[in-house]
Amino acid sequence: MISMGFRLVMDLTVISQEESPDKMPNSEETSDASVKGQQEQDRGALYDETTSATRKGDTNMPGLCKPGVSCSSPPRLVSMTEVLETARDVSNMAIAHEIVINSNFQIQKMESPKNSLERKVKEIVHKAFWDSLQAQLNEKPPQYTQAIKLLQEVKESLLSLLLPGHTRLRTQINEVLDMELIEQQAKHDALDIQRLAGFIVGMMANLCAPVRDTEIKKLKGLTEIVSLFREIFRVLDLMKIDMANFTMKALKPHLKQESIQYERSKFQAFLDKQPNGLEHTTAWLKAAIEKTIHSVSPSRGNGPAAVSPIVVLNQGYMNLLKWDQDTNVYPETLLMDRSRLQELQQRVDQLTLVASILLVTSNAVGAAICGLPGFVDKLKQVTCALLDGLNCKLEDALLAVSDQIYRELDKSLPAHGYSPLTSEQGASLKGQICSISQRDNVIWNLIGERVHSYLKGFLNSSSPQNGLHALPGGLAPIQAELKELMVHCLYQQKKTNNSFFNRLELGPSLITLCLLESEHQ
């Protein structure tokens, strides 16, 4: 993972017509397969998801086909090499996309679960390796075969951490860790491995980030050579992660420019291999067009309504906020942004749920008490706290919310001079709150339509930052959260629009094609 991230950063900065930007293996162990894969044209991303989705999709849905290519062409068999190359390209494009889009993206060291088989095997193999090194060093005279290999690896790691201007440090490393000289010293039993280890730790102290100073201090306190080398390799791995993250941060402005061509070329390679590769994107756009046409009044008499591509995309994004993950397949052009869009969908659903619960409570106890300063905010805090990070069934969560709201009302009503709720009124309130989880619940559907209508109007506004539309009824308790959500929606809309058009050079043409087909139907 470390080498993937670091190599990808460097690859994206040297994209040219003569050299493919994708030369990065998934791991050090798969480097040979990656070099072999360069002999063939890069496969596009998202192969597995789209091929499986194509089998499930509507076979009558037209795709974006190249001229002379039949959309009804039977699926071709693919080799294992092609599958592995596609998996590599999916990983590369996903990392490249996250580097550019996610401002908090960082490479982190992957750790296996504590009691997993992978971790146990890794510990056993590492223990055997270091025990073997200890056994060689304990021989009389000591054997340095394995130690020399470790010194070579340490030298390569230190050189990889140097910047172009570190000429003096590079010279020092090459002079002290001269492998030919070290082999001669080992052959004549004159190798001072402790001195070399001290030099390595000192060089690491010069190259590491300040956050690693504590780790370097611990290294300086170790005297047992095997334990010292084991810790040296651990800290070097952390320093490689630091260097990769630093490089990504420094080069991010340049990467944003290069990523456009990178994603476009990779996705186009996918379309070259899969002429029907935009089946679900086409279906998603057609659904957005159909809904947009029905919601826009005809521009001239009985003629067709005028629909712009941006309005269609905005409607498509609004449809994704109601996306059924079990029955619908995500558009191919937005698969890399699915997690962010799903988080947005969950946030919209949570605000809709909170507003519905507060509206039911207000109708049950009356507007007078709900108008008391701070009362609704208190109920909202309680509701949000119980629904935040929901890890149980919605019905169970709503039951807990209804019980808590009933207790809050039982304390607040008498305190403000109102009669407490009777047992029948309490049972009715709990039942109404719990019924919100049903699909045909009137209040849930009403609040949901108002939230989506408000967000849609915000996205379609020519100047969304200069003013907001009138707030629909029932949404006043969540007004502050809606404003924050709309800013997030606008930011996500810009990033997703860029992703859509970056990956698809024919993006506007595809929307126009769908519009023309809708007019002829």
Side-chain angles (χ1 to χ4, degrees):
M1 181 65 182
I2 300 171
S3 60
M4 286 178 63
F6 187 76
R7 288 286 302 278
L8 179 60
V9 171
M10 302 311 297
D11 287 343
L12 284 174
T13 61
V14 295
I15 294 176
S16 63
Q17 294 181 353
E18 292 79 19
E19 183 177 5
S20 170
D22 184 17
K23 295 186 178 180
M24 176 187 62
N26 280 338
S27 63
E28 294 178 359
E29 289 78 6
T30 60
S31 59
D32 292 337
S34 299
V35 173
K36 182 180 179 181
Q38 291 300 316
Q39 298 173 357
E40 303 180 17
Q41 184 178 7
D42 288 336
R43 270 47 174 185
L46 319 177
Y47 175 82
D48 292 334
E49 294 201 54
T50 50
T51 49
S52 61
T54 302
R55 299 189 189 100
K56 299 178 182 179
D58 182 6
T59 57
N60 295 324
M61 179 65 66
L64 181 65
C65 299
K66 292 187 171 184
V69 179
S70 173
C71 291
S72 59
S73 300
R76 67 179 183 87
L77 297 177
V78 295
S79 65
M80 181 58 67
T81 301
E82 291 176 320
V83 173
L84 293 176
E85 289 175 355
T86 302
R88 180 202 64 198
D89 289 340
V90 169
S91 177
N92 289 353
M93 194 162 79
I95 294 176
H97 185 69
E98 286 299 316
I99 290 175
V100 175
I101 296 298
N102 186 357
S103 58
N104 297 321
F105 178 80
Q106 283 190 335
I107 298 175
Q108 297 180 349
K109 186 176 181 179
M110 300 297 296
E111 294 287 353
S112 304
K114 186 174 182 180
N115 296 321
S116 65
L117 177 61
E118 178 183 359
R119 183 159 186 167
K120 290 180 180 179
V121 172
K122 183 178 179 180
E123 290 175 351
I124 291 173
V125 172
H126 282 198
K127 185 177 185 302
F129 176 84
W130 295 112
D131 288 346
S132 174
L133 175 62
Q134 184 68 66
Q136 287 189 1
L137 295 178
N138 289 339
E139 293 183 13
K140 300 295 183 179
Q143 297 295 320
Y144 295 106
T145 304
Q146 197 165 331
I148 291 175
K149 294 180 180 179
L150 291 181
L151 290 172
Q152 177 65 38
E153 292 183 22
V154 171
K155 178 182 178 180
E156 294 174 356
S157 296
L158 290 175
L159 292 175
S160 69
L161 294 173
L162 296 179
L163 296 177
H166 288 161
T167 306
R168 183 178 59 83
L169 295 180
R170 180 175 282 101
T171 302
Q172 288 182 4
I173 294 174
N174 288 326
E175 288 180 352
V176 177
L177 298 179
D178 185 344
M179 301 313 301
E180 293 184 2
L181 177 61
I182 289 175
E183 290 176 359
Q184 290 296 325
Q185 291 175 341
K187 186 176 181 180
H188 295 87
D189 194 21
L191 180 62
D192 188 354
I193 196 169
Q194 194 74 43
R195 179 184 66 84
L196 295 178
F199 169 78
I200 292 171
V201 173
M203 187 60 65
M204 291 171 63
N206 292 332
L207 297 175
C208 73
V211 70
R212 304 300 174 194
D213 288 345
T214 303
E215 300 285 352
I216 297 298
K217 186 176 181 180
K218 292 179 181 178
L219 290 179
K220 292 180 178 180
L222 294 175
T223 56
E224 203 279 316
I225 196 65
V226 174
S227 299
L228 177 57
F229 268 94
R230 184 191 307 211
E231 287 302 301
I232 284 175
F233 276 94
R234 184 184 66 82
V235 177
L236 279 175
D237 284 342
L238 297 177
M239 291 174 62
K240 291 178 183 178
I241 295 176
D242 296 338
M243 176 59 73
N245 289 328
F246 167 77
T247 306
M248 283 190 296
K249 184 177 181 180
L251 297 179
K252 180 163 287 190
H254 179 69
L255 297 180
K256 288 182 178 180
Q257 297 298 324
E258 299 294 347
S259 67
I260 296 175
Q261 183 60 36
Y262 180 79
E263 291 192 37
R264 185 171 291 175
S265 63
K266 290 302 173 186
F267 205 84
Q268 188 60 47
F270 168 73
L271 294 181
D272 291 340
K273 299 299 180 181
Q274 297 291 326
N276 293 336
L278 293 176
E279 178 182 6
H280 300 291
T281 298
T282 304
W284 168 65
L285 289 175
K286 284 191 170 185
I289 290 171
E290 182 179 356
K291 192 161 186 178
T292 302
I293 291 177
H294 289 166
S295 63
V296 177
S297 59
S299 57
R300 293 183 180 178
N302 295 326
V307 179
S308 71
I310 295 300
V311 173
V312 171
L313 277 180
N314 288 342
Q315 181 60 57
Y317 299 146
M318 295 307 302
N319 291 346
L320 291 178
L321 295 182
K322 296 183 179 180
W323 205 254
D324 190 339
Q325 310 295 335
D326 297 327
T327 60
N328 296 326
V329 181
Y330 245 70
E332 296 88 348
T333 50
L334 298 177
L335 282 172
M336 296 294 180
D337 299 291
R338 178 169 56 181
S339 61
R340 281 175 283 273
L341 292 170
Q342 286 177 347
E343 290 178 3
L344 200 59
Q345 179 183 5
Q346 293 172 0
R347 181 57 175 161
V348 171
D349 290 343
Q350 185 187 49
L351 289 180
T352 302
L353 193 58
V354 171
S356 301
I357 293 172
L358 295 178
L359 181 60
V360 167
T361 304
S362 176
N363 292 337
V365 301
I369 187 171
C370 287
L372 295 174
F375 181 74
V376 173
D377 289 338
K378 185 176 182 180
L379 292 182
K380 183 174 68 174
Q381 292 176 0
V382 171
T383 304
C384 290
L386 293 174
L387 295 178
D388 190 31
L390 187 64
N391 55 4
C392 61
K393 291 184 178 180
L394 180 58
E395 293 80 0
D396 297 336
L398 289 178
L399 181 60
V401 169
S402 64
D403 289 338
Q404 187 62 36
I405 287 181
Y406 178 76
R407 284 193 287 269
E408 291 292 335
L409 291 174
D410 197 42
K411 293 187 299 183
S412 299
L413 288 175
H416 293 87
Y418 293 92
S419 301
L421 295 178
T422 63
S423 57
E424 292 80 5
Q425 290 174 326
S428 176
L429 174 62
K430 292 182 180 181
Q432 291 181 58
I433 292 177
C434 292
S435 67
I436 294 176
S437 62
Q438 300 175 4
R439 287 183 174 268
D440 58 349
N441 184 268
V442 176
I443 294 181
W444 165 265
N445 291 329
L446 175 63
I447 294 297
E449 288 298 327
R450 290 179 178 179
V451 169
H452 282 79
S453 177
Y454 192 51
L455 292 176
K456 180 180 176 181
F458 177 76
L459 291 179
N460 289 333
S461 176
S462 58
S463 56
Q465 286 106 342
N466 296 334
L468 298 175
H469 297 273
L471 189 69
L475 303 186
I478 60 170
Q479 183 175 6
E481 289 79 5
L482 276 178
K483 288 182 179 180
E484 179 182 351
L485 180 64
M486 286 187 294
V487 174
H488 190 187
C489 283
L490 184 62
Y491 178 63
Q492 186 64 47
Q493 176 205 33
K494 292 180 179 179
K495 292 196 299 183
T496 312
N497 278 353
N498 290 337
S499 300
F500 178 84
F501 291 116
N502 288 352
R503 295 193 194 119
L504 190 60
E505 278 186 287
L506 300 178
S509 301
L510 177 60
I511 300 175
T512 304
L513 175 64
C514 294
L515 284 169
L516 291 175
E517 290 184 3
S518 299
E519 292 177 3
H520 289 297
Q521 291 177 353

